Amino acid sequence: MTWRFALVIEPVASDDSRTDFSATFREIDPSAPALSVGELSTQRGDGIFESIGVVDRHPQETQAHLDRLVHSAGLCDLPSPHLEQWRQAVDVAAAHCPPEGEGVIKLILSRGVEHGPTPTAWVTAAQAADNTAVRKRGVRVVTLDRGYGIDTPARAPWLLLGAKTLSYAVNMAAIREAKRRDADDAIFVSSDGFVLEAPTASLILRLGDRYVTPAPNGGILHGTTQLSLFEHLAAQGLQTGYEVIPVASLARADAAWLVSSVRLAAPIRAIDGVDVAVDEELTASFNRYLLSPRD
Amino acid sequence: MTWRFALVIEPVASDDSRTDFSATFREIDPSAPALSVGELSTQRGDGIFESIGVVDRHPQETQAHLDRLVHSAGLCDLPSPHLEQWRQAVDVAAAHCPPEGEGVIKLILSRGVEHGPTPTAWVTAAQAADNTAVRKRGVRVVTLDRGYGIDTPARAPWLLLGAKTLSYAVNMAAIREAKRRDADDAIFVSSDGFVLEAPTASLILRLGDRYVTPAPNGGILHGTTQLSLFEHLAAQGLQTGYEVIPVASLARADAAWLVSSVRLAAPIRAIDGVDVAVDEELTASFNRYLLSPRD
């Protein structure tokens, strides 16, 4: 049995001084019509979002997600979200989750209705898919050209490459392409041969005793789950790093994972048809950590 | 006074044999809530669209727009639209436009509600902005790097570069960037120095006695208005062509236009701050043609 919840938010200015934002929230039926056809989120993919994992009613890494929402808003010239308002909305959504089990809270900030005066915003909560099997079994991935050079984002900020926008059609198409190639997911690579990210996840490689992830240089999102896992690894005295990673390094990886807020750590078991060793014990320890309450 | 109209469509299989699709249409209040927050158009920009110009209740070049909708659906692995169903929906929308004046009919085909069984679809009609002044006065444009090489689309179809998807956040960001640079609009160029298209329009250059537009090689949309105008020019014995156009050719253009379904032909009066001659008489003749009924 699945559960769902939705809350429409009336966004306030980022310097609004009130402390209780409940008057700006309106619970709605998540399956009922709620948005007009004039919504720019739907007409233009013109807005930003975040997906927060929920474990036993605890929203994971809320601050990191809110920070990234603010970052995305800046890149997209959207009014800066009021952190406390959004945090309270997340708390309301989390409180409507069942006391046990995994869920996902989505935050959406749209540019609003076309020619309308203000952005529109809403938060949803829903039961997460059961990812137990994929966390153990892992994923087969293929590399797909993202079309950009590694230096493109720095010189063309209008491409919004570091923003988590609602314009995800390409990300979804990449996953379909992966499935056509008998894989489960994709790793985007730059047109000049560097590793980037997955369509909805970050990539972590273990190279010897180091854990590395592609540097978030504006061309990829800074993954909240990757960030959290790196803190966990560093706390154990392990070496982590952000690097410019050539595609050839994928073949040298001793282990590799796609990490994201809801699926958590999925070990990579093949890249472009070549098997990669899966460290089951280490992966299980990652997921135990990722399923523990994190702030 | 503005007017608006909206119709929700229940998409049928492309081989449905009925001849009257009115039972699959449901008129809705265009400003009322109509879409659920689970809509993938709004969550992922995952869908396709067309914007058809309307003049005195006549939808312009409906067939060309429907053909492109089918093309976009194929690139996005969406079920192929039933041409006759959509044509009838366009006719219903056009019949709800005022007998005189300009409007825009939008067709939207979304992948549907997340985890839902079918795509969702709707058609809207609205009064067009008054473009009289811009058709005469013209636009100042800046060139912006689209980030891709000219050959990227052919080798990476998952980038959906030839599909008119709802993921238009970058197109909207490019227009904001143009405005920051004291211009009105942008021309996207490839990272290796070739001219592509504007974020919501096609580009036509006059080079001597030839009219040229960038070849739709999968990286840009084939503009319906450009196509129509080329037919008009060819019918007058004028030379038209699709070419791979280096950015340097922009400086050699004797005249240039951005053409699109609703704004029609807007003469370009400056590119990156350098004035371009505007041929007022020729531009007026283009717009007279584009405002005449076209099928």
Side-chain angles (χ1 to χ4, degrees):
Chain A
M1 165 150 166
T2 59
W3 46 270
R4 288 189 300 159
F5 170 81
L7 197 67
V8 169
I9 299 175
E10 189 184 315
V12 301
S14 60
D15 61 354
D16 190 294
S17 62
R18 78 188 99 172
T19 53
D20 178 353
F21 291 93
S22 54
T24 66
F25 303 153
R26 179 169 53 87
E27 186 178 340
I28 60 166
D29 175 349
S31 61
L35 310 171
S36 85
V37 291
E39 253 294 323
L40 289 169
S41 56
T42 206
Q43 284 193 46
R44 300 291 197 186
D46 198 358
I48 55 177
F49 77 105
E50 285 293 324
S51 296
I52 300 178
V54 182
V55 179
D56 302 344
R57 266 196 193 149
H58 183 85
Q60 303 279 55
E61 302 283 356
T62 301
Q63 185 62 45
H65 285 285
L66 292 178
D67 288 347
R68 195 167 61 182
L69 191 73
V70 170
H71 181 68
S72 295
L75 291 172
C76 293
D77 304 309
L78 284 163
S80 195
H82 190 297
L83 285 177
E84 184 56 24
Q85 182 187 31
W86 284 87
R87 186 192 315 279
Q88 289 182 19
V90 170
D91 287 346
V92 171
H96 281 81
C97 295
E100 289 188 4
E102 294 179 51
V104 53
I105 291 177
K106 288 195 184 175
L107 319 182
I108 295 195
L109 175 60
S110 153
R111 202 172 300 278
V113 173
E114 194 167 17
H115 311 304
T118 55
T120 48
W122 59 96
V123 168
T124 62
Q127 186 166 330
D130 183 352
N131 286 301
T132 315
V134 73
R135 288 172 193 155
K136 196 177 160 93
R137 185 188 67 236
V139 288
R140 302 173 63 85
V141 303
V142 291
T143 54
L144 292 180
D145 187 352
R146 186 64 187 81
Y148 300 113
I150 193 82
D151 293 329
T152 300
R155 68 165 196 271
W158 50 87
L159 299 177
L160 305 178
L161 289 167
K164 197 167 172 80
T165 78
L166 300 174
S167 286
Y168 252 43
V170 167
N171 304 55
M172 300 295 102
I175 293 173
R176 290 195 301 275
E177 176 68 18
K179 291 184 174 167
R180 261 192 290 272
R181 298 185 187 192
D182 286 328
D184 306 296
D185 210 331
I187 295 175
F188 280 133
V189 300
S190 71
S191 55
D192 44 2
F194 297 96
V195 177
L196 299 172
E197 63 190 343
T200 65
S202 309
L203 174 71
I204 295 177
L205 304 180
R206 193 180 73 202
L207 298 171
D209 54 3
R210 288 181 305 127
Y211 293 85
V212 301
T213 194
N217 65 344
I220 62 176
L221 297 178
H222 198 167
T224 54
T225 309
Q226 169 267 311
L227 198 60
S228 177
L229 195 55
F230 268 27
E231 286 170 4
H232 174 67
L233 292 167
Q236 296 172 69
L238 294 163
Q239 198 184 341
T240 63
Y242 295 93
E243 296 187 4
V244 176
I245 302 175
V247 175
S249 292
L250 291 174
R252 297 193 296 108
D254 298 296
W257 298 265
L258 294 186
V259 302
S260 51
S261 296
V262 179
R263 194 170 63 182
L264 304 180
I268 294 177
R269 50 190 287 262
I271 301 177
D272 292 331
V274 178
D275 286 349
V276 177
V278 170
D279 187 330
E280 289 192 17
E281 199 171 326
L282 182 61
T283 301
S285 79
F286 285 179
N287 282 311
R288 276 194 302 276
Y289 165 69
L290 293 170
L291 284 165
S292 69
R294 292 177 288 128
D295 282 311
Chain B
M1 168 153 164
T2 59
W3 46 270
R4 289 189 300 159
F5 170 81
L7 197 68
V8 169
I9 300 175
E10 189 185 314
V12 300
S14 60
D15 61 353
D16 191 295
S17 61
R18 78 188 98 173
T19 54
D20 179 352
F21 291 92
S22 53
T24 66
F25 304 151
R26 179 169 53 87
E27 187 178 339
I28 60 165
D29 176 350
S31 62
L35 310 170
S36 86
V37 292
E39 251 296 322
L40 290 169
S41 56
T42 205
Q43 284 194 46
R44 300 292 197 187
D46 198 359
I48 55 177
F49 78 105
E50 286 293 324
S51 296
I52 300 178
V54 182
V55 179
D56 302 343
R57 265 192 193 153
H58 183 85
Q60 303 279 56
E61 302 282 356
T62 302
Q63 184 63 44
H65 284 285
L66 292 178
D67 288 347
R68 195 166 62 182
L69 190 74
V70 169
H71 180 68
S72 294
L75 291 172
C76 293
D77 303 310
L78 284 163
S80 194
H82 190 297
L83 285 176
E84 182 55 25
Q85 182 187 31
W86 283 87
R87 185 192 317 279
Q88 289 181 20
V90 170
D91 287 346
V92 171
H96 281 82
C97 295
E100 289 189 3
E102 293 179 52
V104 53
I105 291 177
K106 288 195 184 174
L107 319 182
I108 295 195
L109 175 60
S110 154
R111 203 171 301 276
V113 173
E114 194 168 17
H115 310 305
T118 54
T120 48
W122 59 96
V123 168
T124 62
Q127 185 165 330
D130 183 352
N131 286 301
T132 315
V134 71
R135 288 172 193 155
K136 196 177 161 96
R137 184 187 67 236
V139 287
R140 302 173 62 85
V141 304
V142 292
T143 54
L144 292 179
D145 187 351
R146 187 64 186 82
Y148 300 113
I150 192 82
D151 293 329
T152 300
R155 69 166 195 270
W158 49 86
L159 299 177
L160 307 178
L161 290 167
K164 197 168 172 80
T165 78
L166 300 174
S167 285
Y168 252 43
V170 168
N171 304 57
M172 299 295 103
I175 293 173
R176 290 196 300 274
E177 175 68 18
K179 290 183 175 168
R180 262 194 289 274
R181 298 186 187 191
D182 286 328
D184 307 296
D185 211 332
I187 296 174
F188 281 133
V189 300
S190 72
S191 55
D192 45 2
F194 297 96
V195 177
L196 298 173
E197 63 190 342
T200 65
S202 309
L203 174 70
I204 296 177
L205 304 180
R206 193 180 71 202
L207 298 171
D209 55 3
R210 288 180 305 127
Y211 292 86
V212 301
T213 194
N217 65 343
I220 62 176
L221 297 179
H222 198 166
T224 54
T225 309
Q226 168 267 311
L227 198 59
S228 177
L229 195 55
F230 269 27
E231 285 171 5
H232 173 67
L233 292 167
Q236 295 172 68
L238 294 165
Q239 198 184 343
T240 63
Y242 295 94
E243 297 186 5
V244 176
I245 302 175
V247 175
S249 293
L250 291 174
R252 297 192 295 107
D254 297 295
W257 298 266
L258 294 185
V259 302
S260 50
S261 296
V262 178
R263 194 170 63 183
L264 304 180
I268 294 178
R269 52 190 283 263
I271 300 177
D272 292 332
V274 178
D275 286 350
V276 177
V278 170
D279 187 330
E280 290 192 15
E281 198 170 328
L282 183 62
T283 302
S285 78
F286 285 179
N287 281 312
R288 277 194 301 276
Y289 164 70
L290 293 170
L291 284 164
S292 68
R294 292 178 288 128
D295 283 310

